[in-house]
């Protein structure tokens, strides 16, 4: 099993940047596909990005591609989400999730482990 803890959220002005961290314990993140999701009030949980455990390949949803970057530090067993050019519509609770044998990597149902979430607010 793997335990995940997100951090790095906060209040930022439009156009600003934040880096979210997803620290893992209990198992190496290299064995899992790690995803970032977010959920705004009244909306469904939205998939943002993944980094695959086997080869480190990354994928992004179109709305964040070019602005967000997912990366992994194996030594720290931590995955990051660097978020640049933030917009008010990026305001949400951000979650990292881990899954083994993930097929539908955009589906929350394919991930068995979740962090508690970290709030991101983008406002002037």
């Amino acid at each position: 099993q793997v335990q995940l803890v997100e951090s790095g959220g906060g209040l930022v002005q439009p156009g600003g940047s934040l880096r979210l961290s997803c620290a893992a314990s209990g198992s190496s993140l290299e064995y899992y596909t790690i995803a970032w999701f977010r959920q705004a009030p009244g909306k469904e949980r939205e998939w943002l990005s993944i980094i695959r455990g086997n080869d480190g390949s990354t994928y992004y949803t179109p709305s964040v591609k070019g602005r967000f970057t997912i990366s992994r530090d194996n030594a720290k067993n931590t995955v990051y989400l660097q978020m640049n050019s933030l917009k008010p519509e990026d305001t949400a609770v951000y979650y990292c999730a881990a899954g083994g044998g993930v097929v539908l990597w955009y589906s929350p149902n394919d991930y068995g482990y979740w962090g508690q979430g970290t709030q991101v607010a983008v406002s002037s």
Side-chain angles (χ1 to χ4, degrees):
Q1 291 205 357
V2 61
Q3 293 79 45
L4 305 173
V5 178
E6 301 99 333
S7 62
L11 174 64
V12 64
Q13 292 187 343
S17 298
L18 283 174
R19 189 179 77 159
L20 305 183
S21 299
C22 174
S25 60
S27 183
S28 172
L29 288 179
E30 293 179 81
Y31 299 135
Y32 297 91
T33 293
I34 306 300
W36 284 97
F37 288 80
R38 69 185 177 190
Q39 189 164 19
K43 295 189 176 182
E44 293 187 352
R45 194 161 294 191
E46 175 189 16
W47 171 76
L48 301 176
S49 179
I50 64 159
I51 184 165
R52 297 177 64 173
N54 54 354
D55 61 5
S57 55
T58 61
Y59 301 90
Y60 301 89
T61 194
S63 64
V64 307
K65 191 172 183 179
R67 298 191 299 127
F68 292 8
T69 303
I70 192 170
S71 61
R72 185 178 69 207
D73 185 330
N74 292 334
K76 295 183 178 180
N77 211 26
T78 298
V79 169
Y80 302 98
L81 186 69
Q82 177 67 43
M83 305 187 298
N84 298 329
S85 302
L86 284 162
K87 306 174 182 180
E89 51 264 43
D90 293 318
T91 295
V93 178
Y94 285 68
Y95 299 89
C96 65
V102 172
V103 176
L104 299 177
W105 28 265
Y106 50 84
S107 171
N109 295 330
D110 265 32
Y111 297 87
Y113 306 99
W114 291 83
Q116 82 289 351
T118 185
Q119 176 72 52
V120 171
V122 184
S123 175
S124 55

